Amino acid sequence: MKKPAKIWLWVALVLCVCTTGLNLSEGRWLSVAIAIVSIIGLCVLLFGQRKAGYIVMCVCAVGSFVVGVTQNMGELGAALAIVMSLIGSALVPVITGLFIKSQWKELK
């Protein structure tokens, strides 16, 4: 894996751990569970250089989006909840995908 991708994955790992800590402090247990699985996927991609790690991250992003919309719809309204959840759940997988797309065939 190329150095820029590894640097981004380390940054993403720190961001995801911090976000998970925030969700934990707010008692969002389902979000915490999804985030832990996503962090495991991120670690599999970073340390094991396996495609499965990225796929797990993407599946978790979908779950995170659904949970985020349902948890925030009452407070924010449907449109804003969808936009905010989409940004929050898709940011790391999309940027990661951009970094690893040229290296996809090299991953196990």
Side-chain angles (χ1 to χ4, degrees), residues 68-99:
V69 169
T70 56
Q71 286 180 345
N72 295 314
M73 196 174 303
E75 298 172 20
L76 302 175
L80 190 56
I82 290 170
V83 170
M84 296 300 290
S85 293
L86 185 61
I87 292 169
S89 62
L91 190 63
V92 170
V94 168
I95 294 173
T96 301
L98 293 173
F99 272 105

Short mmCIF file of all heavy atoms in Angstrom, two decimals, residues 68-99:
data_model
loop_
_atom_site.label_atom_id
_atom_site.label_comp_id
_atom_site.label_asym_id
_atom_site.label_seq_id
_atom_site.Cartn_x
_atom_site.Cartn_y
_atom_site.Cartn_z
N GLY A 68 -28.15 6.82 12.09
CA GLY A 68 -28.06 8.27 12.25
C GLY A 68 -29.34 8.98 11.84
O GLY A 68 -29.80 9.91 12.51
N VAL A 69 -29.92 8.55 10.74
CA VAL A 69 -31.18 9.18 10.28
C VAL A 69 -32.28 8.92 11.29
O VAL A 69 -33.01 9.84 11.68
CB VAL A 69 -31.57 8.67 8.88
CG1 VAL A 69 -32.99 9.10 8.52
CG2 VAL A 69 -30.60 9.19 7.83
N THR A 70 -32.42 7.68 11.73
CA THR A 70 -33.50 7.36 12.66
C THR A 70 -33.32 8.04 14.02
O THR A 70 -34.30 8.45 14.63
CB THR A 70 -33.65 5.84 12.84
OG1 THR A 70 -32.41 5.29 13.29
CG2 THR A 70 -34.05 5.17 11.55
N GLN A 71 -32.08 8.17 14.48
CA GLN A 71 -31.85 8.80 15.78
C GLN A 71 -32.04 10.32 15.74
O GLN A 71 -32.40 10.92 16.74
CB GLN A 71 -30.43 8.50 16.28
CG GLN A 71 -30.25 7.09 16.78
CD GLN A 71 -28.83 6.82 17.27
OE1 GLN A 71 -27.91 7.58 17.01
NE2 GLN A 71 -28.66 5.72 17.99
N ASN A 72 -31.77 10.93 14.60
CA ASN A 72 -31.78 12.39 14.54
C ASN A 72 -32.98 12.99 13.82
O ASN A 72 -33.11 14.21 13.76
CB ASN A 72 -30.49 12.89 13.87
CG ASN A 72 -29.28 12.56 14.68
OD1 ASN A 72 -29.25 12.77 15.89
ND2 ASN A 72 -28.26 12.01 14.03
N MET A 73 -33.85 12.17 13.28
CA MET A 73 -34.97 12.69 12.51
C MET A 73 -35.90 13.56 13.36
O MET A 73 -36.37 14.59 12.90
CB MET A 73 -35.76 11.57 11.85
CG MET A 73 -36.66 12.07 10.75
SD MET A 73 -37.51 10.80 9.82
CE MET A 73 -36.19 9.81 9.22
N GLY A 74 -36.14 13.15 14.58
CA GLY A 74 -37.03 13.91 15.45
C GLY A 74 -36.47 15.27 15.81
O GLY A 74 -37.19 16.27 15.87
N GLU A 75 -35.17 15.36 16.03
CA GLU A 75 -34.52 16.61 16.43
C GLU A 75 -34.25 17.54 15.25
O GLU A 75 -34.40 18.76 15.36
CB GLU A 75 -33.21 16.31 17.13
CG GLU A 75 -33.34 15.52 18.40
CD GLU A 75 -31.98 15.11 18.95
OE1 GLU A 75 -30.97 15.73 18.57
OE2 GLU A 75 -31.94 14.15 19.73
N LEU A 76 -33.81 16.98 14.13
CA LEU A 76 -33.33 17.79 13.02
C LEU A 76 -34.31 17.90 11.86
O LEU A 76 -34.16 18.78 11.02
CB LEU A 76 -32.01 17.22 12.48
CG LEU A 76 -30.85 17.10 13.46
CD1 LEU A 76 -29.68 16.40 12.80
CD2 LEU A 76 -30.45 18.47 13.97
N GLY A 77 -35.27 17.02 11.79
CA GLY A 77 -36.13 16.95 10.62
C GLY A 77 -35.52 15.97 9.63
O GLY A 77 -34.32 15.71 9.65
N ALA A 78 -36.35 15.46 8.74
CA ALA A 78 -35.92 14.39 7.84
C ALA A 78 -34.79 14.82 6.91
O ALA A 78 -33.78 14.14 6.80
CB ALA A 78 -37.11 13.89 7.02
N ALA A 79 -34.94 15.95 6.25
CA ALA A 79 -33.95 16.36 5.25
C ALA A 79 -32.58 16.60 5.88
O ALA A 79 -31.56 16.10 5.39
CB ALA A 79 -34.42 17.61 4.53
N LEU A 80 -32.54 17.33 6.97
CA LEU A 80 -31.27 17.63 7.62
C LEU A 80 -30.65 16.37 8.23
O LEU A 80 -29.44 16.18 8.16
CB LEU A 80 -31.45 18.71 8.68
CG LEU A 80 -30.18 19.28 9.29
CD1 LEU A 80 -29.26 19.84 8.19
CD2 LEU A 80 -30.52 20.37 10.29
N ALA A 81 -31.49 15.51 8.78
CA ALA A 81 -30.99 14.26 9.34
C ALA A 81 -30.35 13.40 8.26
O ALA A 81 -29.29 12.80 8.47
CB ALA A 81 -32.12 13.49 10.03
N ILE A 82 -30.95 13.36 7.08
CA ILE A 82 -30.39 12.58 5.97
C ILE A 82 -29.06 13.16 5.52
O ILE A 82 -28.08 12.44 5.34
CB ILE A 82 -31.40 12.50 4.80
CG1 ILE A 82 -32.57 11.60 5.20
CG2 ILE A 82 -30.73 11.99 3.53
CD1 ILE A 82 -33.74 11.63 4.24
N VAL A 83 -29.02 14.48 5.35
CA VAL A 83 -27.78 15.13 4.89
C VAL A 83 -26.66 14.94 5.91
O VAL A 83 -25.53 14.56 5.56
CB VAL A 83 -28.01 16.63 4.60
CG1 VAL A 83 -26.70 17.36 4.36
CG2 VAL A 83 -28.94 16.80 3.42
N MET A 84 -26.93 15.19 7.17
CA MET A 84 -25.91 15.07 8.21
C MET A 84 -25.43 13.62 8.36
O MET A 84 -24.24 13.37 8.50
CB MET A 84 -26.43 15.60 9.55
CG MET A 84 -26.77 17.07 9.54
SD MET A 84 -25.37 18.12 9.16
CE MET A 84 -24.39 17.92 10.62
N SER A 85 -26.35 12.68 8.31
CA SER A 85 -25.97 11.27 8.43
C SER A 85 -25.18 10.81 7.22
O SER A 85 -24.24 10.02 7.35
CB SER A 85 -27.21 10.39 8.61
OG SER A 85 -27.81 10.66 9.85
N LEU A 86 -25.54 11.30 6.04
CA LEU A 86 -24.80 10.94 4.84
C LEU A 86 -23.36 11.44 4.91
O LEU A 86 -22.42 10.70 4.62
CB LEU A 86 -25.49 11.50 3.60
CG LEU A 86 -24.90 11.11 2.26
CD1 LEU A 86 -24.95 9.60 2.08
CD2 LEU A 86 -25.63 11.80 1.13
N ILE A 87 -23.19 12.67 5.34
CA ILE A 87 -21.84 13.22 5.48
C ILE A 87 -21.05 12.44 6.53
O ILE A 87 -19.92 12.02 6.30
CB ILE A 87 -21.89 14.72 5.85
CG1 ILE A 87 -22.44 15.53 4.68
CG2 ILE A 87 -20.51 15.23 6.26
CD1 ILE A 87 -22.77 16.97 5.02
N GLY A 88 -21.66 12.22 7.67
CA GLY A 88 -20.97 11.53 8.76
C GLY A 88 -20.60 10.10 8.47
O GLY A 88 -19.54 9.62 8.84
N SER A 89 -21.48 9.40 7.76
CA SER A 89 -21.23 7.98 7.54
C SER A 89 -20.42 7.71 6.27
O SER A 89 -19.71 6.70 6.20
CB SER A 89 -22.55 7.20 7.48
OG SER A 89 -23.34 7.66 6.40
N ALA A 90 -20.49 8.58 5.29
CA ALA A 90 -19.83 8.30 4.01
C ALA A 90 -18.45 8.93 3.86
O ALA A 90 -17.69 8.52 2.99
CB ALA A 90 -20.73 8.79 2.87
N LEU A 91 -18.12 9.87 4.70
CA LEU A 91 -16.88 10.62 4.53
C LEU A 91 -15.64 9.72 4.53
O LEU A 91 -14.84 9.74 3.58
CB LEU A 91 -16.76 11.69 5.61
CG LEU A 91 -15.66 12.71 5.44
CD1 LEU A 91 -15.90 13.53 4.19
CD2 LEU A 91 -15.58 13.62 6.65
N VAL A 92 -15.45 8.92 5.55
CA VAL A 92 -14.26 8.07 5.65
C VAL A 92 -14.22 7.01 4.55
O VAL A 92 -13.19 6.86 3.89
CB VAL A 92 -14.12 7.45 7.07
CG1 VAL A 92 -13.03 6.40 7.10
CG2 VAL A 92 -13.83 8.55 8.09
N PRO A 93 -15.31 6.26 4.29
CA PRO A 93 -15.23 5.26 3.22
C PRO A 93 -14.98 5.87 1.83
O PRO A 93 -14.25 5.29 1.03
CB PRO A 93 -16.59 4.56 3.26
CG PRO A 93 -17.08 4.77 4.64
CD PRO A 93 -16.56 6.11 5.06
N VAL A 94 -15.57 7.02 1.54
CA VAL A 94 -15.38 7.64 0.23
C VAL A 94 -13.93 8.09 0.06
O VAL A 94 -13.29 7.81 -0.97
CB VAL A 94 -16.36 8.81 0.01
CG1 VAL A 94 -15.97 9.64 -1.20
CG2 VAL A 94 -17.78 8.31 -0.14
N ILE A 95 -13.39 8.78 1.05
CA ILE A 95 -12.00 9.24 0.95
C ILE A 95 -11.06 8.04 0.90
O ILE A 95 -10.11 8.02 0.12
CB ILE A 95 -11.65 10.19 2.12
CG1 ILE A 95 -12.46 11.48 1.99
CG2 ILE A 95 -10.16 10.50 2.13
CD1 ILE A 95 -12.33 12.43 3.17
N THR A 96 -11.33 7.03 1.71
CA THR A 96 -10.51 5.82 1.69
C THR A 96 -10.56 5.17 0.31
O THR A 96 -9.52 4.76 -0.23
CB THR A 96 -10.99 4.82 2.77
OG1 THR A 96 -10.89 5.45 4.05
CG2 THR A 96 -10.15 3.56 2.75
N GLY A 97 -11.74 5.09 -0.27
CA GLY A 97 -11.88 4.52 -1.60
C GLY A 97 -11.07 5.27 -2.63
O GLY A 97 -10.46 4.65 -3.52
N LEU A 98 -11.04 6.59 -2.52
CA LEU A 98 -10.23 7.38 -3.45
C LEU A 98 -8.74 7.09 -3.30
O LEU A 98 -8.01 7.05 -4.28
CB LEU A 98 -10.50 8.87 -3.25
CG LEU A 98 -11.91 9.34 -3.64
CD1 LEU A 98 -12.11 10.79 -3.22
CD2 LEU A 98 -12.16 9.16 -5.12
N PHE A 99 -8.31 6.88 -2.07
CA PHE A 99 -6.89 6.58 -1.83
C PHE A 99 -6.50 5.18 -2.30
O PHE A 99 -5.37 4.98 -2.75
CB PHE A 99 -6.54 6.72 -0.35
CG PHE A 99 -6.14 8.10 0.05
CD1 PHE A 99 -7.01 8.93 0.76
CD2 PHE A 99 -4.89 8.61 -0.28
CE1 PHE A 99 -6.64 10.20 1.13
CE2 PHE A 99 -4.52 9.89 0.08
CZ PHE A 99 -5.39 10.70 0.78
#
